[in-house]
Amino acid sequence: MSSADPQPPPSLGAAVVGLYALLPSEFTAARNAAAADAGRAGDKDLAKRIKALPKPSTAAWLVNLLAHRRREDLEQVLELGAALREAQEDLDQKQLRRLSTERQRLLRAIVRQARDLASELDHPVSESLAAEAEQTLWAAMTDPSAADAVASGQLVRSLAASGWEEVDLDGAVADPDSITHGAGGRTGSGAGPGAGPGRVGAVKDKGGSRDSAAVRLRQAEARRAVRKAQADLEEAAAAEHRAQEALDAAQREVDESAGRRDELTDEIDELRERIRQLEREVATVDRRSGKLERERDHARRAARAARRTAEKARQKLTDAQDAADAGTDSGR
């Protein structure tokens, strides 16, 4: 093929892998460019499918970030989820408690890593969005299909778990057909298609004692204990989430109050400076008033002296006129 020949259009899977590894701010432009490339390559259907790819929510992007940049850490979470599912099905309460404690520690650690990585990429996320991402990872630990979706790195929205039931994945991933089954660390009953019957057979092969009423009673009691423990765990997680939200709200109010105090302090400083300026102006006016009063008193004394001098001059003039008049009369 010559260099002038058109390049084959990219596959949808390849486009998805590239797009969902990008920052949210880069997604739309890159998606449109990929769709345009497919159109120029002559694949109008692919161009339309790429153009329809939705931008991931911020929480989904945060989980995708782990799939693309912290793959080993994410696989550790999903493998722990597979172990939890196996312990839950085996009704191994001791193992379930131990793994649940490890789950909480591991989820907090990996979400903290994701937030640090997002901040390094100049795209920090809030506590509430981080909690949403943590719920998505927990959902992936409860359901192998959700684990495969998370491992694909192409989540469009966050996921939510409801106990150990199947997670709703409708519209959760960009290209469901490209999901690799078993990528989410499935083991035990969730090891993939076809694993379920083998697991059931293994249970049935443990002996006829499984059919006894006493064994069935113990199994029922164990299942109730597991359900109660799971419900308690979910209630505690919800309470923790509510408490964190309350803490965040309280912190925001504290920050707002501190900001308002700073504003008022600045206003006080400005007013104090204005008062000092006015006091300096008052002192200047007082000095000028004192000088003017002294000049007025001096002018008053000068005016009095001038009046006395004028009175004396007028008196002399009157005396002189009287003397002149008297001399004129005697000469007649």
Side-chain angles (χ1 to χ4, degrees):
M1 181 182 292
S2 66
S3 59
D5 292 334
Q7 296 296 318
S11 67
L12 180 64
V16 166
V17 169
L19 289 173
Y20 287 86
L22 297 175
L23 291 173
S25 58
E26 301 171 344
F27 180 87
T28 301
R31 179 196 61 193
N32 295 343
D37 290 343
R40 284 191 293 269
D43 195 333
K44 301 300 183 183
D45 180 66
L46 178 60
K48 183 177 180 181
R49 294 176 69 187
I50 292 176
K51 184 72 173 179
L53 290 173
K55 181 179 179 180
S57 69
T58 302
W61 168 78
L62 193 63
V63 176
N64 291 340
L65 192 65
L66 293 171
H68 290 287
R69 303 202 183 200
R70 293 292 186 272
R71 187 72 186 184
E72 292 183 359
D73 295 329
L74 178 60
E75 287 177 351
Q76 186 179 0
V77 170
L78 299 180
E79 288 170 1
L80 178 61
L84 269 167
R85 294 194 300 274
E86 185 173 1
Q88 192 273 338
E89 182 156 341
D90 288 345
L91 304 177
D92 188 342
Q93 297 185 45
K94 182 177 180 181
Q95 178 76 340
L96 192 62
R97 285 194 297 271
R98 185 186 69 80
L99 293 177
S100 294
T101 301
E102 177 66 12
R103 172 192 71 85
Q104 295 174 14
R105 183 196 65 79
L106 192 58
L107 282 181
R108 283 194 296 268
I110 195 170
V111 171
R112 184 166 56 250
Q113 290 180 29
R115 293 190 71 188
D116 291 344
L117 182 56
S119 296
E120 291 173 6
L121 297 173
D122 292 329
H123 195 85
V125 298
S126 65
E127 286 281 355
S128 60
L129 287 174
E132 191 176 335
E134 183 174 339
Q135 287 297 314
T136 296
L137 292 172
W138 167 231
M141 297 178 81
T142 66
D143 181 2
S145 295
D148 291 339
V150 166
S152 72
Q154 51 170 299
L155 283 182
V156 172
R157 62 170 176 81
S158 57
L159 306 178
S162 178
W164 294 95
E165 298 178 4
E166 291 184 358
V167 174
D168 177 18
L169 296 177
D170 185 27
V173 292
D175 182 20
D177 294 336
S178 68
I179 299 295
T180 300
H181 297 294
R186 300 183 184 188
T187 63
S189 63
R199 180 68 185 170
V200 172
V203 172
K204 290 182 178 179
D205 289 343
K206 290 184 178 180
S209 61
R210 288 279 184 159
D211 297 329
S212 68
V215 170
R216 288 197 300 272
L217 179 59
R218 286 196 297 272
Q219 289 178 330
E221 290 175 349
R223 284 192 293 270
R224 283 195 297 272
V226 169
R227 286 195 295 271
K228 184 179 184 304
Q230 181 61 30
D232 291 344
L233 175 60
E234 292 173 356
E235 183 179 353
E240 179 185 12
H241 182 64
R242 291 192 298 270
Q244 185 62 51
E245 288 183 337
L247 173 60
D248 293 342
Q251 185 61 51
R252 285 193 297 271
E253 292 181 357
V254 168
D255 293 341
E256 291 173 359
S257 177
R260 179 56 180 160
R261 185 185 187 281
D262 291 341
E263 292 176 359
L264 293 173
T265 301
D266 292 341
E267 290 182 14
I268 290 173
D269 292 340
E270 292 174 359
L271 290 173
R272 285 173 175 167
E273 178 58 31
R274 179 58 178 160
I275 289 172
R276 286 193 290 270
Q277 181 181 354
L278 292 173
E279 288 175 343
R280 289 193 294 269
E281 291 180 6
V282 168
T284 300
V285 171
D286 287 344
R287 287 192 296 272
R288 177 170 175 75
S289 296
K291 179 181 178 182
L292 291 174
E293 288 175 355
R294 288 191 296 274
E295 290 177 353
R296 180 202 60 192
D297 293 343
H298 178 73
R300 181 183 291 122
R301 288 192 294 274
R304 289 174 180 171
R307 281 197 298 273
R308 286 195 296 271
T309 300
E311 288 293 335
K312 290 179 180 179
R314 281 193 291 272
Q315 186 61 45
K316 287 182 179 180
L317 175 60
T318 300
D319 292 344
Q321 288 176 343
D322 290 344
D325 290 342
T328 300
D329 293 338
S330 62
R332 290 178 179 177

